[in-house]
Amino acid sequence: MSSTVRNNDELYNRHYNILHTRMKQFSKSIGATSGEVLFLGSFVLNFMLGKLIHVFSSQEAVYNYYNDKRNILNQFFVKKGWAWTTVVIVVFYILILRSKHPKVQSQQEKIRLLRNGLIKYSIMTFWWVLFTQWCFGLPIMDKVFVWTGGKCQKVAEKELLRHFPGALKDKFFSPSSDGESFEASSITSYTCRKLKGAWTGGHDPSGHVFLLVHSSLYLFLETSQFWGSWPSFFGSARNLCGKLRRVPADQSAEPKSKLAQVVDFFHGTPHFIVFLLLSLWWFMLLMTNIYFHSLAEKLVGLLFAYAGALLVYYLPRYLGSSRIST
Ligand SMILES: CCCCCCCC/C=C\CCCCCCCC(=O)SCCNC(=O)CCNC(=O)[C@H](O)C(C)(C)COP(=O)(O)O
Ligand SMILES: Nc1ncnc2c1ncn2[C@@H]1O[C@H](COP(=O)(O)O)[C@@H](OP(=O)(O)O)[C@H]1O
């Protein structure tokens, strides 16, 4: 080996060790593992990557299928994002309970796991509801918008009469200064969209950024307690691909159907389904970061998503609570 290559290797190892030690120190100081710090940080990376792509892409690349709000990934997955997250966590728990994982052997362990899982799911669901759906009136994201001067404007009278008949119209809406349309500051963004109004004038935190980061943090922090290692994860995936491609040597023996092999794989690797959804959420977050909202609005969505995970997963660790242990 030449001395230049050896020097480079030594330099690389030294830098790697410094980075590794710093990372460990930082993780320890905030009560998280190195993997968690990387995962939490990946959303900031996504944010910066989105900005860079937006700035450096040509117009043709900036306008495409993924910034069409009607694209199927947005309408069928993200817009029902909490429901998909719920489906995945339920399937994950079923697989873990059936997998004879060393952490869930006895009946007592299973009950404790389910109880803790349900408590954390309920709090995370409640936080999602408060931010995006309802918070003793308007959801938090819409409250922020209205408090910063935002309104639902340019609502045509025809639309209004269709959805707000009679006295309801006067309760919520007043005529705009243009004299041709109506406006309101106490209806949700959802209602405004239904009325084909313009949701403008305030700081509008990104619901998409919130939902995608909130769901990802929940799935990651909830399932990481059962994580094995990357080599075994990829090993299982490679193994499955090999089995699906291979023609059985003994043609006379009853071969396992491909479907049965895939089912076996999901049983043995319950994290795979979580991995799939996390990949989709990360990709859709990148699309939101490239094409939608202002930087500040996305940052507020991100901070509210971090807040939920801090409350449910890090605060108990910090307080040394044993009631909702992860
Ligand atoms: C130990 C196991 C723990 C898991 C326990 C699970 C228990 C489940 C219990 C029973 C199952 C019942 C079935 C429940 C179904 C799931 C509940 C839901 O999530 S229903 C709501 C689905 N809706 C969504 O997902 C909507 C997501 N969309 C939004 O929040 C917003 O559209 C937006 C923030 C993405 C954007 O807002 P916009 O205004 O810009 O469109
Ligand atoms: N990744 C994505 N793909 C497609 N549309 C997206 C998107 N992220 C955000 N949007 C759209 O951008 C708008 C603002 O999103 P949000 O406030 O939730 O961050 C929403 O439009 P609509 O409300 O008209 O559906 C939403 O559908």
Side-chain angles (χ1 to χ4, degrees), residues 90-138:
V90 169
V91 172
F92 178 83
Y93 267 105
I94 292 173
L95 293 174
I96 280 290
L97 289 174
R98 292 166 58 115
S99 73
K100 302 188 182 72
H101 191 280
K103 279 196 173 174
V104 273
Q105 294 290 327
S106 68
Q107 200 63 16
Q108 249 177 340
E109 279 171 330
K110 285 182 184 172
I111 292 172
R112 202 175 75 91
L113 180 78
L114 280 180
R115 192 201 60 202
N116 286 345
L118 268 173
I119 293 174
K120 285 180 278 178
Y121 174 79
S122 307
I123 304 176
M124 291 300 266
T125 301
F126 191 52
W127 185 232
W128 163 69
V129 169
L130 289 181
F131 190 76
T132 66
Q133 311 292 311
W134 168 89
C135 176
F136 307 95
L138 297 185

Side-chain angles (χ1 to χ4, degrees), residues 74 77-87 89-90 93 113-122 125 128 131-133 141-142 189-190 193 204-212 218 222 293:
N74 188 42
F77 287 100
V78 185
K79 287 266 183 178
K80 296 170 177 54
W82 194 246
W84 284 110
T85 300
T86 304
V87 168
I89 201 68
V90 169
Y93 267 105
L113 180 78
L114 280 180
R115 192 201 60 202
N116 286 345
L118 268 173
I119 293 174
K120 285 180 278 178
Y121 174 79
S122 307
T125 301
W128 163 69
F131 190 76
T132 66
Q133 311 292 311
M141 63 179 192
D142 293 350
S189 50
Y190 175 78
R193 200 165 46 239
D204 179 22
S206 169
H208 271 58
V209 169
F210 170 83
L211 176 76
L212 293 169
Y218 169 63
E222 195 58 30
H293 279 281

Side-chain angles (χ1 to χ4, degrees), residues 33 36 92 103 218-228 271 317 326:
T33 64
E36 286 171 2
F92 178 83
K103 279 196 173 174
Y218 169 63
L219 287 173
F220 180 85
L221 293 168
E222 195 58 30
T223 60
S224 57
Q225 54 185 321
F226 303 106
W227 175 249
H271 285 88
R317 282 189 209 174
T326 50

Side-chain angles (χ1 to χ4, degrees), residues 36 39-40 43 124 211-223 278 281 302 305-310 313-314:
E36 286 171 2
F39 191 75
L40 262 77
F43 301 112
M124 291 300 266
L211 176 76
L212 293 169
V213 178
H214 176 71
S215 299
S216 302
L217 287 173
Y218 169 63
L219 287 173
F220 180 85
L221 293 168
E222 195 58 30
T223 60
L278 285 180
W281 282 174
L302 183 70
Y306 278 150
L310 285 180
Y313 292 93
Y314 292 100

